[in-house]
PDB file of all heavy atoms in Angstrom:
ATOM      1  N   GLN K 141      56.619 -36.435  18.196  1.00 49.00           N
ATOM      2  CA  GLN K 141      56.884 -35.240  17.485  1.00 49.00           C
ATOM      3  C   GLN K 141      58.261 -34.902  17.999  1.00 49.00           C
ATOM      4  O   GLN K 141      58.490 -34.513  19.162  1.00 49.00           O
ATOM      5  CB  GLN K 141      55.964 -34.069  17.832  1.00 49.00           C
ATOM      6  CG  GLN K 141      54.501 -34.501  17.471  1.00 49.00           C
ATOM      7  CD  GLN K 141      53.579 -33.575  18.104  1.00 49.00           C
ATOM      8  OE1 GLN K 141      53.859 -32.724  19.079  1.00 49.00           O
ATOM      9  NE2 GLN K 141      52.322 -33.660  17.791  1.00 49.00           N
ATOM     10  N   ASP K 142      59.209 -34.795  17.039  1.00 57.00           N
ATOM     11  CA  ASP K 142      60.678 -34.526  17.333  1.00 57.00           C
ATOM     12  C   ASP K 142      61.231 -35.251  18.468  1.00 57.00           C
ATOM     13  O   ASP K 142      61.919 -34.883  19.250  1.00 57.00           O
ATOM     14  CB  ASP K 142      60.682 -32.891  17.625  1.00 57.00           C
ATOM     15  CG  ASP K 142      60.193 -32.108  16.587  1.00 57.00           C
ATOM     16  OD1 ASP K 142      60.390 -32.438  15.414  1.00 57.00           O
ATOM     17  OD2 ASP K 142      59.737 -30.942  16.994  1.00 57.00           O
ATOM     18  N   GLY K 143      60.881 -36.635  18.348  1.00 69.00           N
ATOM     19  CA  GLY K 143      61.472 -37.448  19.310  1.00 69.00           C
ATOM     20  C   GLY K 143      60.801 -37.504  20.733  1.00 69.00           C
ATOM     21  O   GLY K 143      61.327 -38.057  21.606  1.00 69.00           O
ATOM     22  N   VAL K 144      59.649 -36.774  20.919  1.00 80.00           N
ATOM     23  CA  VAL K 144      58.924 -36.663  22.184  1.00 80.00           C
ATOM     24  C   VAL K 144      57.815 -37.569  22.195  1.00 80.00           C
ATOM     25  O   VAL K 144      56.992 -37.705  21.319  1.00 80.00           O
ATOM     26  CB  VAL K 144      58.519 -35.162  22.305  1.00 80.00           C
ATOM     27  CG1 VAL K 144      57.646 -35.076  23.651  1.00 80.00           C
ATOM     28  CG2 VAL K 144      59.601 -34.300  22.480  1.00 80.00           C
ATOM     29  N   SER K 145      57.726 -38.408  23.249  1.00 88.00           N
ATOM     30  CA  SER K 145      56.627 -39.319  23.466  1.00 88.00           C
ATOM     31  C   SER K 145      55.625 -38.704  24.475  1.00 88.00           C
ATOM     32  O   SER K 145      56.059 -38.241  25.400  1.00 88.00           O
ATOM     33  CB  SER K 145      57.081 -40.643  24.048  1.00 88.00           C
ATOM     34  OG  SER K 145      58.081 -41.207  23.157  1.00 88.00           O
ATOM     35  N   GLU K 146      54.413 -38.901  24.055  1.00 90.00           N
ATOM     36  CA  GLU K 146      53.363 -38.273  24.911  1.00 90.00           C
ATOM     37  C   GLU K 146      52.181 -39.218  25.214  1.00 90.00           C
ATOM     38  O   GLU K 146      51.786 -39.948  24.270  1.00 90.00           O
ATOM     39  CB  GLU K 146      52.744 -36.973  24.173  1.00 90.00           C
ATOM     40  CG  GLU K 146      51.570 -36.378  24.937  1.00 90.00           C
ATOM     41  CD  GLU K 146      51.005 -35.209  24.183  1.00 90.00           C
ATOM     42  OE1 GLU K 146      51.800 -34.214  24.101  1.00 90.00           O
ATOM     43  OE2 GLU K 146      49.884 -35.170  23.789  1.00 90.00           O
ATOM     44  N   TYR K 147      51.716 -39.329  26.470  1.00 93.00           N
ATOM     45  CA  TYR K 147      50.693 -40.110  26.841  1.00 93.00           C
ATOM     46  C   TYR K 147      49.648 -39.377  27.663  1.00 93.00           C
ATOM     47  O   TYR K 147      50.026 -38.497  28.537  1.00 93.00           O
ATOM     48  CB  TYR K 147      51.130 -41.283  27.784  1.00 93.00           C
ATOM     49  CG  TYR K 147      52.158 -42.198  27.148  1.00 93.00           C
ATOM     50  CD1 TYR K 147      53.593 -42.017  27.279  1.00 93.00           C
ATOM     51  CD2 TYR K 147      51.791 -43.303  26.337  1.00 93.00           C
ATOM     52  CE1 TYR K 147      54.534 -42.666  26.701  1.00 93.00           C
ATOM     53  CE2 TYR K 147      52.742 -44.035  25.713  1.00 93.00           C
ATOM     54  CZ  TYR K 147      54.095 -43.755  25.894  1.00 93.00           C
ATOM     55  OH  TYR K 147      55.014 -44.457  25.286  1.00 93.00           O
ATOM     56  N   LYS K 148      48.396 -39.579  27.390  1.00 92.00           N
ATOM     57  CA  LYS K 148      47.421 -38.946  28.213  1.00 92.00           C
ATOM     58  C   LYS K 148      46.695 -40.152  29.033  1.00 92.00           C
ATOM     59  O   LYS K 148      46.389 -41.165  28.552  1.00 92.00           O
ATOM     60  CB  LYS K 148      46.278 -38.236  27.345  1.00 92.00           C
ATOM     61  CG  LYS K 148      46.889 -37.038  26.629  1.00 92.00           C
ATOM     62  CD  LYS K 148      45.831 -36.477  25.731  1.00 92.00           C
ATOM     63  CE  LYS K 148      46.486 -35.364  24.916  1.00 92.00           C
ATOM     64  NZ  LYS K 148      45.428 -34.747  24.062  1.00 92.00           N
ATOM     65  N   PHE K 149      46.447 -39.766  30.281  1.00 91.00           N
ATOM     66  CA  PHE K 149      45.980 -40.877  31.233  1.00 91.00           C
ATOM     67  C   PHE K 149      45.142 -40.207  32.365  1.00 91.00           C
ATOM     68  O   PHE K 149      45.281 -39.074  32.583  1.00 91.00           O
ATOM     69  CB  PHE K 149      47.166 -41.594  31.860  1.00 91.00           C
ATOM     70  CG  PHE K 149      47.973 -40.868  32.709  1.00 91.00           C
ATOM     71  CD1 PHE K 149      47.782 -40.910  34.084  1.00 91.00           C
ATOM     72  CD2 PHE K 149      49.009 -40.083  32.178  1.00 91.00           C
ATOM     73  CE1 PHE K 149      48.645 -40.205  35.023  1.00 91.00           C
ATOM     74  CE2 PHE K 149      49.844 -39.396  33.157  1.00 91.00           C
ATOM     75  CZ  PHE K 149      49.695 -39.398  34.468  1.00 91.00           C
ATOM     76  N   VAL K 150      44.225 -41.020  32.942  1.00 87.00           N
ATOM     77  CA  VAL K 150      43.558 -40.716  34.135  1.00 87.00           C
ATOM     78  C   VAL K 150      44.386 -41.306  35.263  1.00 87.00           C
ATOM     79  O   VAL K 150      44.552 -42.495  35.309  1.00 87.00           O
ATOM     80  CB  VAL K 150      42.151 -41.128  34.073  1.00 87.00           C
ATOM     81  CG1 VAL K 150      41.418 -40.948  35.440  1.00 87.00           C
ATOM     82  CG2 VAL K 150      41.280 -40.520  32.880  1.00 87.00           C
ATOM     83  N   PRO K 151      44.834 -40.546  36.243  1.00 89.00           N
ATOM     84  CA  PRO K 151      45.640 -41.146  37.379  1.00 89.00           C
ATOM     85  C   PRO K 151      44.777 -42.004  38.320  1.00 89.00           C
ATOM     86  O   PRO K 151      43.567 -41.789  38.508  1.00 89.00           O
ATOM     87  CB  PRO K 151      46.037 -39.927  38.083  1.00 89.00           C
ATOM     88  CG  PRO K 151      45.162 -38.803  37.803  1.00 89.00           C
ATOM     89  CD  PRO K 151      44.546 -39.152  36.432  1.00 89.00           C
ATOM     90  N   ALA K 152      45.516 -43.052  38.798  1.00 84.00           N
ATOM     91  CA  ALA K 152      44.884 -43.957  39.742  1.00 84.00           C
ATOM     92  C   ALA K 152      45.111 -43.329  41.142  1.00 84.00           C
ATOM     93  O   ALA K 152      45.868 -43.507  41.842  1.00 84.00           O
ATOM     94  CB  ALA K 152      45.657 -45.232  39.815  1.00 84.00           C
ATOM     95  N   ALA K 153      44.009 -42.473  41.385  1.00 75.00           N
ATOM     96  CA  ALA K 153      44.003 -41.626  42.578  1.00 75.00           C
ATOM     97  C   ALA K 153      42.682 -41.773  43.175  1.00 75.00           C
ATOM     98  O   ALA K 153      41.650 -41.247  42.724  1.00 75.00           O
ATOM     99  CB  ALA K 153      44.309 -40.097  42.263  1.00 75.00           C
ATOM    100  N   SER K 154      42.618 -42.424  44.422  1.00 71.00           N
ATOM    101  CA  SER K 154      41.455 -42.591  45.165  1.00 71.00           C
ATOM    102  C   SER K 154      41.928 -42.813  46.711  1.00 71.00           C
ATOM    103  O   SER K 154      43.085 -42.866  46.912  1.00 71.00           O
ATOM    104  CB  SER K 154      40.691 -43.783  44.707  1.00 71.00           C
ATOM    105  OG  SER K 154      41.315 -45.005  45.012  1.00 71.00           O
TER     106      SER K 154
END
Side-chain angles (χ1 to χ4, degrees):
Q141 302 165 349
D142 300 329
V144 174
S145 301
E146 177 180 294
Y147 301 96
K148 292 181 182 176
F149 66 97
V150 174
S154 69

